[in-house]
Amino acid sequence: MKNLIIEMLEEIKSLFKYFNQERYLFFIMFLISIMFIFFKEKDKKKKIFFVWYSILILLVIWNPLCIWLLNKFINLGSMYRIYYMLPTLITMAYAITKFVEYFGKVTKLVFIVIFSGAIIFLGNTIFNEYNMIKVDNLYKLPDETVEIAYAISDDKETSYKKAIVPYGMSSRIRQVRANIDMVYTRVVTALYDENGKQLPSDSDDASNYEPVQKLNSGDVKYIVNLCKRTNTNYVVFEKSTDLTESMETYGFKLFYETQNYDIYRLEETKQ
């Protein structure tokens, strides 16, 4: 039992380190915000949301028994996402706003400048850190991914729809249209370290996954054979890909294009 508890505590520590990425000051500010709201907030509903809800989530993710139980259903590589349930940013923003209310105009302005500077210093823009792009759709996915999903889903020529698409897009298509089956979605690797111990996060690495390699290289014969084996009737290539042969030779027709992608449909397919 003792060894099990120690093992669970190590997993808790590993999850905490992974979530915070060594930037513990940010999390400390969140905890201070919770304590401030606990002592200063009079509204019970706000206190429940900012304080008791956060404490409940922490009691789950910091509890060896809960981690042991969750391990039965969720791999460690996904468990760190429980931290995303914490209202960290909104709690800190509310606590800071509540704090500066106690001071006069000049002092209030000084604290606003200090806290704003701290936020800028401790944080990064999402466009720099996560390679984000601006999009024009409610799904918050790349616009061409949404366009391709709609094109395949709304195609009246087929009722059965299964597609192979470039990696990255593969895990997003079904977020837009769930009636499209995929040859692959994510290629998850690195669930365990060199000692066989679970890692705090899973990762994608499709570089050695043959279907992804062949699609990227435009190996038409391989892709066509893969489509036959997996009963796939849609193939999406990047326009920059040089195809080894014509897809039309094997019964595929180019039926839709976007700015950067070509979509081929198998003309003789199961309905």
Side-chain angles (χ1 to χ4, degrees), residues 20-219:
N20 286 283
Q21 298 293 314
E22 306 296 334
R23 292 177 293 189
Y24 302 120
L25 182 58
F26 185 87
F27 199 82
I28 291 172
M29 289 174 63
F30 168 63
L31 296 179
I32 292 173
S33 298
I34 292 177
M35 290 187 288
F36 178 80
I37 294 172
F38 175 78
F39 288 110
K40 295 297 183 180
E41 182 57 63
K42 303 301 181 184
D43 189 315
K44 289 184 178 180
K45 289 184 178 180
K46 292 179 180 178
K47 186 175 287 189
I48 288 173
F49 175 74
F50 288 114
V51 179
W52 299 118
Y53 169 74
S54 296
I55 290 175
L56 176 63
I57 298 300
L58 291 174
L59 286 177
V60 171
I61 197 68
W62 287 353
N63 188 322
L65 177 60
C66 289
I67 296 299
W68 177 78
L69 289 172
L70 288 171
N71 259 328
K72 302 293 183 180
F73 309 99
I74 308 173
N75 63 60
L76 187 68
S78 298
M79 207 178 300
Y80 75 93
R81 292 179 173 88
I82 296 174
Y83 276 107
Y84 291 151
M85 298 173 68
L86 290 171
T88 51
L89 299 179
I90 191 173
T91 300
M92 292 167 61
Y94 184 79
I96 290 172
T97 303
K98 194 80 175 175
F99 177 75
V100 298
E101 285 180 351
Y102 288 96
F103 302 94
K105 290 184 179 180
V106 177
T107 307
K108 185 181 296 185
L109 180 60
V110 171
F111 276 117
I112 289 175
V113 172
I114 291 173
F115 286 125
S116 298
I119 291 170
I120 294 172
F121 176 75
L122 293 174
N124 294 304
T125 67
I126 60 173
F127 293 104
N128 289 340
E129 187 173 1
Y130 300 106
N131 195 28
M132 295 288 186
I133 59 173
K134 291 184 178 180
V135 297
D136 297 315
N137 62 81
L138 294 176
Y139 296 99
K140 299 306 178 186
L141 295 172
D143 290 323
E144 283 188 282
T145 297
V146 176
E147 184 180 355
I148 289 169
Y150 272 102
I152 296 175
S153 178
D154 295 343
D155 183 14
K156 303 301 182 183
E157 294 297 317
T158 62
S159 55
Y160 170 82
K161 302 171 188 296
K162 187 170 184 178
I164 179 170
V165 304
Y167 195 69
M169 183 188 296
S170 58
S171 61
R172 297 166 176 163
I173 289 287
R174 285 175 56 83
Q175 296 180 50
V176 183
R177 283 291 183 262
N179 65 322
I180 305 172
D181 291 328
M182 307 300 298
V183 175
Y184 53 75
T185 52
R186 291 180 64 205
V187 179
V188 178
T189 59
L191 287 173
Y192 301 90
D193 63 17
E194 64 276 8
N195 298 314
K197 184 179 179 180
Q198 278 191 305
L199 293 170
S201 70
D202 54 28
S203 62
D204 291 38
D205 184 8
S207 59
N208 295 317
Y209 189 56
E210 191 173 37
V212 173
Q213 290 178 328
K214 297 297 185 179
L215 186 71
N216 291 341
S217 65
D219 190 332

Side-chain angles (χ1 to χ4, degrees), residues 215-265:
L215 186 71
N216 291 341
S217 65
D219 190 332
V220 170
K221 190 172 183 178
Y222 176 92
I223 293 299
V224 169
N225 287 332
L226 177 63
C227 288
K228 289 179 180 179
R229 295 198 308 270
T230 58
N231 199 21
T232 299
N233 54 350
Y234 290 90
V235 180
V236 179
F237 285 107
E238 291 189 25
K239 283 184 179 293
S240 59
T241 301
D242 293 324
L243 303 185
T244 56
E245 302 177 62
S246 170
M247 288 290 286
E248 282 79 1
T249 304
Y250 296 94
F252 283 85
K253 178 182 178 181
L254 178 64
F255 94 100
Y256 195 89
E257 298 179 61
T258 68
Q259 182 177 353
N260 297 296
Y261 297 94
D262 290 331
I263 308 177
Y264 291 88
R265 180 186 63 214

